[in-house]
Amino acid sequence: SEELHFGKDRYHQVRDMCEWCRDNFGDGGYIGYYEDYDDRVWFIQQAFGHTTFAFRRGVDATAFALRWL
C-alpha cells in the first residue's frame, strides 16, 4: 500500500481528508495498528497527533496527494 504522513500541523484537516476519501474512494476509515484492513481501499492511523493515510491503489494515493499536499 501507498502511505502519506502528516504532522500535528495538519491535524485540524483530518476530518475533511476522511470525508474527501469516502466521497472519492469509498469504504475506509480508522484502523488499529494490529488490525487488518479487510476490503477497505484506504485507511487512516493516528498516534500522538501524527496521521498516516494508506491506500491500496497507487492511483488513489496520487489523487489524494494532489488534493492534500
Side-chain angles (χ1 to χ4, degrees), residues 5-48:
H5 305 281
F6 296 92
K8 295 177 183 180
D9 61 320
R10 302 291 296 275
Y11 188 79
H12 67 284
Q13 293 180 304
V14 169
R15 186 173 58 176
D16 291 337
M17 291 174 175
C18 287
E19 288 177 15
W20 188 89
C21 285
R22 273 191 287 279
D23 290 347
N24 289 277
F25 308 134
D27 191 29
Y30 286 90
I31 186 169
Y33 279 99
Y34 300 107
E35 186 179 349
D36 185 20
Y37 58 96
D38 301 322
D39 295 330
R40 300 180 211 186
V41 294
W42 66 275
F43 66 89
I44 178 177
Q45 294 177 319
Q46 289 183 302
F48 307 108

